[in-house]
Amino acid sequence: MKFLRLFLVLSTSVIAQTNYPKDYFRLPLDVPVQLSGNFGELRPNHFHTGFDFKTLQREGLDVHAVADGYVSRIKMSPYGNGKAIYITHPNGYTSVYCHLQNANAEIKDYIYKAYYKEEAYEIELFLKPHELPVRKGQVIAFSGNTGSSQGPHLHFEFRDSKTEKIINPLLFGFDSAIKDTKKPVVSALYVYPVEDDVIINQSKRPLLLSLSLQKDGTYLATSVKANGKIGFGITAADYDNVSYNKNGVYKVQTYLNGSASFGYQLDTYSFDEMRYINALIDYPKYRQNSQRVQKLFMKTPYPLSIIKADKDNGVVDVLPNLASVYRIEVTDFFGNTTVITVPVNYDLTNPIVKREQSHSEYFVKAGKDNIFSKENFTVDIPAGTFYDDFEMDFDVKGKTLYMSDESIPVQSNFTITIEDDSYTEAEKEKMYIADIDSRGRAGYNYTWIKGNKFSAKVRSLGRYRLYSDTTAPSIAITASIEGKWISSQKTVQLRISDSGSGIKSYNGYLNGKWVLFEYDYKTGKITHDFSNGNVAEGANELKVVVEDKVGNIKTFETRFFRSQQ
């Protein structure tokens, strides 16, 4: 065991000392650097994977290749990263450019040929080195607001070409374009009882500690008086001199009596470990009030590679006749550091505030497989689905399954099965297991049916029931073109939606041939650009077919006239 710990420490040191090229890459934009999101920032279910460069609150800025290389991957999607281009460089790294408005003429032509070959807007292409080579500084695309972007910006990443690990852009010299003399801000410090019988400052619940600024610029926290095992958590953010918005912190390190206890540094990590952010933060508090408290301890260890912890995983064991000093250092990439000192002493005073009690006959063991059944519902939970053991509220009322609530984080999928023989084969085709939110809205989960059993893999606790969708999607044209001459009109646009299971696919046909419609799910609009050249002289017939996730289909047809002269 000692050898293993030594190996982990040494291997972590080697990783941290990787020499990344500082002058090899240029910036992807020509405008002054301002960030709306930095690397490692805490996001829903993931750490942010790169930089969000501000684009002067507009679209259409030139996006440059940061170095020589070739376009190795293109992904076009109405969701996530939207329109994205990947460039592989000869030095072993890949740069990624997302939420693009469009590509340059050469790349755009390549993409459009793929659209019509696959007859789909949502495509993913993998290219060979000779197909689309690029030079450093070449304009490869134009910034946009596609996918899940909530405003015009460029999302940019660096990845290791072999491992696909994401790497902090600051390690490649991008720090020279950012001025930052501001210390990170710790807005809240919490102390947690790790075991049920622990009392902290006469409370058995987590407590918010006050912070006092000292003459030397450090902070002194309220003294902690406790018995047994405790842990700490912080809410922290970082600011630079020019971006004027809150970003994530780069490094956190804690010390107990001068020895390193728990810490992490956001240099690189893999996509596979992203969801462990829900173990790092106080997830119930986040679900309750959107506050992300970063826990500086692990009650149950989890495999997040950025974390380095002592043998107690950051947990502080408060023992009789032993006063301790706990120190937290929060540091940005530029070395600006905020220091907090917490005096810790043993105390056995009876609690005034007691722990909230919960009693359930359904106890989930996180490290083992669990199967629970009630009435016609069965829930199969594989080992490792949850981070910690807990008592789960589990009940069936009015054909609805109730499982605790969404304040308990889930790492991986578990299976819900509902057995019901009251439906015909035709009715089953339109049914699925739905999750029901607090407003009573039903969310679709892919459901497979075997006999009278309906099963779905889900990734959150809450309410579930069988749901039927027999309503077709809706299609409406934004401005009628029926029987009209529209020679000067550049595009045609329709709005599509579905109130049940959601849209599975849509296809547009002009004079019987498939044509491209780009989908913006944020507005629910699909748009066809007539510049593709698929429109005919004179009369044209347009048909749009939309299908939802259980097979309901809606068709829209119209006829218009157009002159190409």
Side-chain angles (χ1 to χ4, degrees):
M1 181 61 73
K2 289 182 178 179
F3 174 79
L4 177 59
R5 289 184 187 137
L6 178 61
F7 171 77
L8 290 174
V9 170
L10 291 174
S11 62
T12 304
S13 300
V14 171
I15 293 171
Q17 293 172 6
T18 300
N19 292 318
Y20 298 98
K22 302 290 184 181
D23 302 313
Y24 189 90
F25 298 103
R26 59 154 286 168
L27 291 165
L29 299 172
D30 290 329
V31 297
V33 173
Q34 285 190 316
L35 301 180
S36 58
N38 68 342
F39 184 83
E41 189 172 280
L42 307 181
R43 298 285 180 90
N45 297 319
H46 72 285
F47 299 93
H48 192 227
T49 55
F51 275 3
D52 283 345
F53 287 103
K54 294 183 180 181
T55 56
L56 307 178
Q57 299 181 337
R58 66 174 189 257
E59 299 182 42
L61 271 62
D62 290 350
V63 177
H64 302 269
V66 295
D68 291 355
Y70 70 97
V71 176
S72 55
R73 182 181 176 191
I74 296 170
K75 188 172 183 179
M76 301 286 112
S77 173
Y79 312 104
N81 287 330
K83 297 180 179 180
I85 293 175
Y86 301 65
I87 297 177
T88 295
H89 306 282
N91 65 344
Y93 300 103
T94 295
S95 54
V96 186
Y97 314 75
C98 305
H99 306 307
L100 303 171
Q101 181 191 66
N102 236 320
N104 70 13
E106 182 184 12
I107 300 173
K108 182 179 178 180
D109 181 63
Y110 188 97
I111 294 169
Y112 269 68
K113 288 178 180 176
Y115 282 146
Y116 280 86
K117 180 181 178 181
E118 299 190 20
E119 294 192 350
Y121 170 56
E122 193 166 356
I123 59 174
E124 186 170 13
L125 311 172
F126 295 91
L127 289 72
K128 296 178 180 178
H130 68 275
E131 292 186 90
L132 286 174
V134 298
R135 304 295 296 176
K136 183 176 182 177
Q138 179 181 341
V139 176
I140 59 165
F142 306 96
S143 65
N145 186 30
T146 57
S148 299
S149 169
Q150 298 303 307
H153 73 281
L154 174 69
H155 175 84
F156 175 85
E157 300 175 11
F158 278 120
R159 300 185 186 181
D160 183 295
S161 297
K162 289 184 178 179
T163 66
E164 279 288 302
K165 279 193 170 185
I166 320 103
I167 306 168
N168 194 332
L170 292 173
L171 296 169
F172 293 92
F174 280 20
D175 56 317
S176 63
I178 301 172
K179 186 176 182 180
D180 183 357
T181 59
K182 298 180 179 181
K183 292 181 179 180
V185 175
V186 177
S187 56
L189 170 63
Y190 289 87
V191 59
Y192 293 82
V194 176
E195 297 175 331
D196 290 346
D197 58 349
V198 173
I199 303 167
I200 305 173
N201 293 2
Q202 295 184 284
S203 173
K204 284 196 168 187
R205 300 183 189 177
L207 291 177
L208 178 65
L209 301 177
S210 298
L211 299 176
S212 300
L213 181 64
Q214 305 300 293
K215 290 182 179 180
D216 62 358
T218 66
Y219 290 85
L220 180 65
T222 302
S223 179
V224 171
K225 297 179 180 179
N227 66 306
K229 295 181 178 180
I230 63 174
F232 293 87
I234 58 170
T235 300
D238 192 34
Y239 300 81
D240 62 41
N241 294 26
V242 296
S243 298
Y244 311 112
N245 58 274
K246 180 171 64 177
N247 288 313
V249 299
Y250 172 63
K251 180 181 179 181
V252 178
Q253 182 61 56
T254 70
Y255 300 87
L256 181 62
N257 298 324
S259 297
S261 176
F262 183 98
Y264 58 86
Q265 183 169 305
L266 290 160
D267 288 328
T268 180
Y269 41 80
S270 70
F271 285 98
D272 291 341
E273 54 188 336
M274 286 291 194
R275 201 172 175 88
Y276 286 111
I277 187 175
N278 294 333
L280 175 68
I281 65 173
D282 181 342
Y283 193 79
K285 186 175 290 293
Y286 166 65
R287 294 293 305 187
Q288 182 180 21
N289 58 23
S290 299
Q291 181 184 18
R292 292 188 176 97
V293 179
Q294 303 166 55
K295 294 187 294 184
L296 307 179
F297 66 97
M298 293 184 288
K299 182 178 180 180
T300 304
Y302 50 90
L304 180 55
S305 64
I306 61 172
I307 291 177
K308 292 187 291 182
D310 62 11
K311 62 180 179 59
D312 297 316
N313 294 309
V315 174
V316 177
D317 196 358
V318 186
L319 301 172
N321 304 316
L322 180 62
S324 297
V325 176
Y326 184 82
R327 189 170 84 254
I328 306 168
E329 295 182 0
V330 184
T331 307
D332 65 23
F333 190 86
F334 301 87
N336 305 303
T337 302
T338 296
V339 178
I340 300 171
T341 301
V342 188
V344 180
N345 296 280
Y346 182 83
D347 183 77
L348 201 55
T349 306
N350 290 329
I352 296 175
V353 181
K354 296 185 178 181
R355 178 184 293 270
E356 294 181 3
Q357 298 296 318
S358 72
H359 299 284
S360 172
E361 60 184 283
Y362 301 96
F363 190 78
V364 176
K365 297 286 288 183
K368 295 183 178 181
D369 295 338
N370 300 264
I371 297 179
F372 302 114
S373 296
K374 190 166 186 178
E375 296 184 14
N376 61 327
F377 286 84
T378 300
V379 178
D380 188 344
I381 303 172
T385 300
F386 297 97
Y387 304 120
D388 297 304
D389 300 346
F390 67 99
E391 291 181 338
M392 182 172 69
D393 294 331
F394 188 84
D395 202 0
V396 176
K397 300 176 184 177
K399 294 187 176 182
T400 299
L401 172 67
Y402 293 79
M403 291 187 298
S404 292
D405 57 54
E406 295 182 6
S407 67
I408 297 173
V410 184
Q411 173 63 23
S412 54
N413 292 330
F414 60 96
T415 303
I416 295 175
T417 298
I418 306 174
E419 188 169 3
D420 196 323
D421 62 2
S422 62
Y423 300 101
T424 66
E425 293 302 315
E427 288 173 330
K428 290 178 185 178
E429 292 179 358
K430 304 298 181 184
M431 302 191 71
Y432 57 93
I433 295 177
D435 52 270
I436 312 299
D437 68 13
S438 58
R439 298 181 182 179
R441 296 175 299 189
Y444 174 83
N445 295 283
Y446 172 75
T447 302
W448 66 95
I449 304 168
K450 187 175 182 180
N452 294 322
K453 292 184 178 180
F454 301 79
S455 299
K457 290 187 179 295
V458 300
R459 213 173 188 180
S460 65
L461 296 175
R463 294 183 292 166
Y464 292 89
R465 63 170 298 154
L466 277 179
Y467 201 83
S468 176
D469 177 10
T470 59
T471 304
S474 64
I475 310 173
I477 194 162
T478 56
S480 177
I481 59 175
E482 177 63 34
K484 297 179 180 179
W485 283 89
I486 57 168
S487 302
S488 61
Q489 192 167 316
K490 294 182 179 179
T491 63
V492 60
Q493 193 172 74
L494 298 93
R495 182 176 283 107
I496 63 175
S497 63
D498 186 75
S499 60
S501 56
I503 293 171
K504 176 184 178 182
S505 66
Y506 68 92
N507 286 284
Y509 302 90
L510 193 55
N511 303 318
K513 294 182 179 180
W514 185 91
V515 292
L516 174 68
F517 274 86
E518 294 194 13
Y519 180 38
D520 182 353
Y521 85 95
K522 297 191 289 282
T523 62
K525 294 178 181 178
I526 58 173
T527 304
H528 173 69
D529 191 331
F530 286 124
S531 64
N532 290 337
N534 293 298
V535 66
E537 181 74 22
N540 287 266
E541 293 184 354
L542 174 66
K543 182 169 76 171
V544 176
V545 181
V546 181
E547 182 179 356
D548 69 18
K549 293 175 181 175
V550 293
N552 299 306
I553 296 174
K554 182 67 173 289
T555 300
F556 171 88
E557 294 181 280
T558 190
R559 193 167 186 261
F560 64 91
F561 299 89
R562 187 175 174 89
S563 173
Q564 308 299 350
Q565 303 302 320

